[in-house]
Amino acid sequence: RKEVEQDPGPFNVPEGATVAFNCTYSNSASQSFFWYRQDCRKEPKLLMSVYSSGNEDGRFTAQLNRASQYISLLIRDSKLSDSATYLCVVTGGYQKVTFGIGTKLQVIP
Amino acid sequence: NAGVTQTPKFQVLKTGQSMTLQCAQDMNHEYMSWYRQDPGMGLRLIHYSVGAGITDQGEVPNGYNVSRSTTEDFPLRLLSAAPSQTSVYFCASSYSAGPRGYEQYFGPGTRLTVT
C-alpha cells in the first residue's frame, strides 16, 4: 500500500460546482497534513494546512479524519482559475515528508 | 524577497557528465530540501538539511550529493549523470510553524534531461 494515496483524476467540473478530493495515508503516526496546489509546469505552492478540527479558507475547506486516516479538500463555487493539480502532503517530522501523486482538477466554462 | 531561486531552469546532460543545480533562499529558513518529480509519482525527497553544516539523505539519495555551508545556499550535485536522473528537480525551504508543521516553499524547478 502506498504511504499516501490520491485519485489522479482528472476531475472535470463545471464552473460554480462543488468538488471534493480525498487522500488516504497509511502511517498512523503522521503529524502534519497539507494541501498544495501545482499548476502545469510550475512549482507546488502551499494551499492550506489541515487541522483535526477542520479549517476553511474562503471557498476551500480541509478536513482531517485521524481515525480513518484520510484528509479531504472541498472547493465550493469552482472557478476556472482553480484548474490545477492538488497535492496531498503528509509529514512525520521534517525528514519524513510524503507527497501524493496529485489530483488533477479541470474546471470547465 | 525573491523567495527560493533555482538555476538553471533547463539543462541537458550527456550520460556520465556531472553538474551542480543551484538553490538559494532569502527567507532565513532553517530547513532546505531537494525533491525530484517524475510522471505518475509524487515528489520524492533526495536530500535535506536542518541547518548550515547539517545534511542527511532522503528517500532517493543515490547519485546525488549536497552540502550546506550557509543558511541561504543548498546546491545539489549530480556526480555522474544517468538517464534515470531525467526529471524535474525542486528545491524547497521551510521553517517549523509550530502546530502547523513544516510549511514548504518551493523554487521554480530545474528540468533536467540526461541523454
Side-chain angles (χ1 to χ4, degrees):
Chain A
R1 182 184 172 188
K2 287 186 183 177
E3 289 191 55
V4 175
E5 296 207 53
Q6 289 185 259
D7 181 343
F11 284 56
N12 297 314
V13 303
E15 266 187 294
T18 295
V19 61
F21 311 132
N22 280 344
C23 165
T24 59
Y25 62 95
S26 61
N27 186 350
S28 59
S30 298
Q31 298 169 2
S32 304
F33 308 86
F34 303 90
W35 284 103
Y36 280 74
R37 171 195 170 123
Q38 186 173 25
D39 293 297
C40 187
R41 299 179 74 83
K42 298 286 190 182
E43 72 273 22
K45 292 187 178 175
L46 178 66
L47 181 65
M48 57 199 303
S49 302
V50 187
Y51 306 131
S52 297
S53 54
N55 48 302
E56 191 173 303
D57 183 1
R59 297 182 292 108
F60 297 83
T61 300
Q63 299 273 0
L64 166 64
N65 185 317
R66 283 193 184 270
S68 301
Q69 294 183 205
Y70 75 86
I71 68 172
S72 63
L73 178 68
L74 182 80
I75 305 175
R76 290 182 298 278
D77 189 22
S78 298
K79 312 288 185 194
L80 295 176
S81 57
D82 294 333
S83 297
T85 296
Y86 291 84
L87 308 176
C88 164
V89 181
V90 175
T91 76
Y94 188 74
Q95 72 281 14
K96 188 58 181 167
V97 179
T98 306
F99 283 76
I101 63 171
T103 297
K104 186 171 182 179
L105 171 66
Q106 185 69 46
V107 181
I108 303 162
Chain B
N1 284 356
V4 180
T5 57
Q6 289 183 239
T7 56
K9 285 189 167 47
F10 301 93
Q11 183 70 51
V12 178
L13 290 179
K14 293 188 190 309
T15 297
Q17 288 185 316
S18 62
M19 80 159 294
T20 299
L21 308 186
Q22 301 292 345
C23 174
Q25 54 100 1
D26 62 0
M27 296 176 282
N28 203 32
H29 286 170
E30 277 181 272
Y31 307 95
M32 295 187 76
S33 301
W34 276 101
Y35 293 88
R36 59 178 289 172
Q37 187 174 35
D38 301 292
M41 306 187 77
L43 277 82
R44 292 181 292 167
L45 183 63
I46 304 171
H47 285 284
Y48 66 96
S49 169
V50 299
I54 307 170
T55 64
D56 207 343
Q57 297 181 351
E59 181 186 352
V60 289
N62 292 343
Y64 308 95
N65 272 355
V66 292
S67 59
R68 182 112 179 260
S69 55
T70 66
T71 299
E72 294 78 20
D73 299 298
F74 191 44
L76 177 73
R77 280 182 289 279
L78 277 70
L79 308 173
S80 177
S84 60
Q85 293 179 305
T86 294
S87 188
V88 181
Y89 292 84
F90 290 104
C91 178
S93 74
S94 177
Y95 67 102
S96 176
R100 300 200 309 272
Y102 299 92
E103 298 180 344
Q104 301 208 61
Y105 297 82
F106 286 83
T110 295
R111 295 183 176 276
L112 175 68
T113 301
V114 183
T115 62

